[in-house]
Amino acid sequence: MSDVLAQTPEPPYWAVIFTSVRNPHDDDGYGAMADRMAELARQQPGFLGVESCRDAEGVGITVSYWASEEALRGWKANLEHREAQRKGRSGFYSRWFTRVCKVDRAYSFHL
Amino acid sequence: MSDVLAQTPEPPYWAVIFTSVRNPHDDDGYGAMADRMAELARQQPGFLGVESCRDAEGVGITVSYWASEEALRGWKANLEHREAQRKGRSGFYSRWFTRVCKVDRAYSFHL
């Protein structure tokens, strides 16, 4: 459980909140695509971390954290990521929302 | 599935990203507390919506959306919410992170 919560630095930094509902009729290659996107994001300059979960009803939330607006632009422009976004629009999800945010303050706790 | 993604207005607005890992040894009253907090948040002035999921491994992400910093302060000051936060610190979660963010831009899609 050591890396399921992102160990981000002191704010400010950026967060991309991607919330989605999976389309139950299109499962072909979804898991592999999601894993590949996580791997690609980790290699991207300015990547700070990612947190993700999906429940049994198909609701998923993935939050990725980025050091700067430049880092956000780099990830948005990544060609393989753009192709995954295209696939997301054509079947993997029935609905999604992407919100780009600036993290202003943060608090954490661990037992 | 009509309300699992929040129908937020055009940015700017605020998001509180709460990511957590459940403590498997303390389940007493957790579900009721979580439901009550969602109900309370909905009654709070400036509440715009909430998105939440928890997976089988106990990783949870809840994002609530708020119209203004004033709305954020109101929710933070809610006494019943403060009591739930205290319980969160004393057992429900083994770890958590709260990040307060300003949403700068948003994109959405539905089939």
Side-chain angles (χ1 to χ4, degrees):
Chain A
M1 294 298 224
S2 64
D3 61 354
V4 293
L5 299 192
Q7 298 308 304
T8 42
E10 284 297 299
Y13 51 89
W14 290 81
V16 179
I17 307 172
F18 177 71
T19 55
S20 62
V21 180
R22 287 277 286 116
N23 178 357
H25 306 297
D26 187 346
D27 209 34
D28 187 30
Y30 177 74
M33 185 278 285
D35 290 348
R36 175 65 182 151
M37 285 308 108
E39 183 192 334
L40 265 189
R42 277 175 226 281
Q43 296 167 5
Q44 200 71 25
F47 174 81
L48 298 178
V50 64
E51 294 164 337
S52 192
C53 73
R54 184 169 300 280
D55 67 21
E57 281 79 48
V59 176
I61 305 180
T62 296
V63 191
S64 57
Y65 300 101
W66 301 90
S68 63
E69 289 225 61
E70 190 186 353
L72 283 176
R73 278 193 295 272
W75 177 230
K76 190 175 180 182
N78 182 292
L79 285 180
E80 215 175 321
H81 180 213
R82 294 180 74 92
E83 172 63 12
Q85 290 178 311
R86 194 190 59 72
K87 287 185 183 161
R89 274 188 286 270
S90 66
F92 284 146
Y93 304 112
S94 58
R95 300 166 60 201
W96 55 255
F97 231 112
T98 298
R99 295 177 177 95
V100 180
C101 320
K102 190 167 193 179
V103 181
D104 184 70
R105 47 197 189 268
Y107 317 92
S108 67
F109 165 85
H110 61 92
L111 280 183
Chain B
M1 291 301 226
S2 64
D3 62 352
V4 293
L5 299 193
Q7 300 307 305
T8 43
E10 284 296 300
Y13 50 90
W14 291 79
V16 179
I17 308 172
F18 178 70
T19 55
S20 63
V21 180
R22 287 276 286 114
N23 179 358
H25 306 298
D26 187 346
D27 208 32
D28 188 29
Y30 177 74
M33 185 279 286
D35 290 347
R36 174 66 182 150
M37 285 307 108
E39 182 192 334
L40 265 189
R42 276 174 228 281
Q43 296 167 5
Q44 199 72 23
F47 174 80
L48 298 178
V50 63
E51 294 164 338
S52 192
C53 73
R54 184 169 301 279
D55 67 21
E57 281 78 48
V59 177
I61 304 179
T62 297
V63 190
S64 57
Y65 300 100
W66 301 89
S68 63
E69 290 224 61
E70 190 186 355
L72 284 176
R73 278 193 296 270
W75 177 230
K76 191 174 180 183
N78 181 292
L79 285 180
E80 214 175 322
H81 181 211
R82 293 179 74 92
E83 172 63 11
Q85 290 178 313
R86 194 190 61 72
K87 286 186 184 159
R89 274 188 287 271
S90 67
F92 284 146
Y93 304 112
S94 57
R95 301 165 61 202
W96 55 255
F97 230 113
T98 298
R99 295 177 176 95
V100 179
C101 320
K102 189 167 195 179
V103 180
D104 184 70
R105 46 197 189 269
Y107 318 92
S108 67
F109 165 85
H110 60 94
L111 279 184

